[in-house]
Amino acid sequence: MEIRMKYWKKLNSEERLKRVQQALKDNVDFSKDASLGYPASRLDERVFPEDAISLREKPVLSTYLANPNHIGCHTFGTSELAFKGTQALEREVLSMIAVDLFKIEDGQFDGYISPGGTEANIQAIWIYRNEFMKSHGAKIDEIVILASQDTHYSIPKAANLLMVDWERLAVDPFSRLLTPKGVKDTIDSCLNRGKKYFIVVANMGTTMFGSVDDPTLYTEALKQLQLPFRLHIDGAYGGFVYPFGDFENQINFRNPDVSSITIDAHKMLQSPYGTGIFVCRKGLIQHVLTEEAAYVEGMDLTLCGSRSGANAVAVWVILTTYGPHKWYEKISVIKMRTNWFCKQLAEMGINFYREPEMNIVAIHAEEIPEEIAHNYTLVPEAHDESNKWYKIVLMDHVEIEHLKSFLEDLSHARRPQTMS
């Protein structure tokens, strides 16, 4: 994999600390400045005393104490001047993700670091619902969301909140892939029910299986019928894994049909929770402008409104600690570990599913005794008798020794018990 990055660079600890300290200096300092108009402040010093821990060399913790409020969309117009320092770091994170990782042209995107991937997915659907209604005169019952049965539950949640129908497409039970016929039949069914506008959600690493959708199955069928659509990529889990492989990744902004992408930093990137990332093409995010937020400097274009600037700094510090090459190396090791594990399962005759460029392995529930599933805290597809799969996620803390122990216990449980 050739890695050429414009914004995502590796920095040493001194460079990171200096940059974050400068960002905090550029923010309002509630401990020193007489800032009378903000309903915000530092964390309560009686509960979080600054002298209780040495913060001088801990840029992320010092940012949490400073408690910067990031409201608005810093890539679109102006933002609250009081937090311009940490806002600049959030913009840098977005450039690393949108330009370097997902290959959009410089300055041709908007986005923000949201409280999570669920909100980021809802943000996308909210934008496209409003766009269809405002720009095309669509009625709410003429809009439909297309997504596979393996799609994250945030999509039916968005459908419920936004009062838009969701069409759940079946996938092949073994390959977890959509079929061209299934997509076409679903679109035809939607048209017969009066649907005219389509919001497509394609997955880059589903939660249960790590499976990856081919978005062209949707877009080619919709284009053939000349139907208006928007395509959102849910890479909340897979976004920091799937693109890092020795293959030509086509699921990014080089595909002109991709309108937006979600990626979570609090999964593979191991940042604090509250670091979902949403990026979209220019010309879209303004469809969710809250005009009533007149007191906000700039424009409120996000679902959450206020959010933690410290979380943006945490993501920035992680990305600049690794740099793209070290991150590629880390993901490569995890993928090799996953390859080894899958080889052992295959030799044991265990039925499992794994997308080759991901680090999730789903094993048929019938292969794993409940006691073993409980002992290793495997996650089931369903917490009832209908469960058909257990998944193992090879995160950074999952070592070969843990996998060997699991395999040994599984092998022992599968041996025929001899009569005493």
Side-chain angles (χ1 to χ4, degrees), residues 7 19 90 102 121 187 203 216 295 361 378 394 411:
Y7 295 102
R19 181 71 182 87
E90 182 168 341
F102 291 128
N121 286 336
I187 293 172
N203 296 290
T216 63
Y295 65 85
V361 180
L378 305 189
L394 281 86
S411 177

Side-chain angles (χ1 to χ4, degrees), residues 2 25 86 91 99 184 189 200 269 274 305 335 348 365 408:
E2 185 178 8
K25 287 180 182 177
T86 49
R91 283 196 301 272
V99 177
K184 183 180 184 305
S189 174
V200 177
L269 207 66
K335 285 184 179 181
M348 292 172 62
E408 288 170 2

Side-chain angles (χ1 to χ4, degrees), residues 279-340:
V279 289
C280 66
R281 294 185 186 274
K282 282 286 184 188
L284 295 173
I285 204 166
Q286 55 265 43
H287 290 296
V288 293
L289 171 65
T290 303
E291 296 178 0
E292 292 80 359
Y295 65 85
V296 176
E297 185 177 359
M299 288 174 276
D300 184 6
L301 297 156
T302 70
L303 186 58
C304 60
S306 294
R307 58 193 188 273
S308 170
N311 284 350
V313 173
V315 180
W316 183 92
V317 169
I318 294 170
L319 290 173
T320 56
T321 295
Y322 279 93
H325 293 88
K326 272 302 204 184
W327 187 256
Y328 172 77
E329 181 180 309
K330 175 177 177 173
I331 295 302
S332 296
V333 169
I334 290 174
K335 285 184 179 181
M336 286 190 289
R337 200 175 294 163
T338 311
N339 292 341
W340 177 88

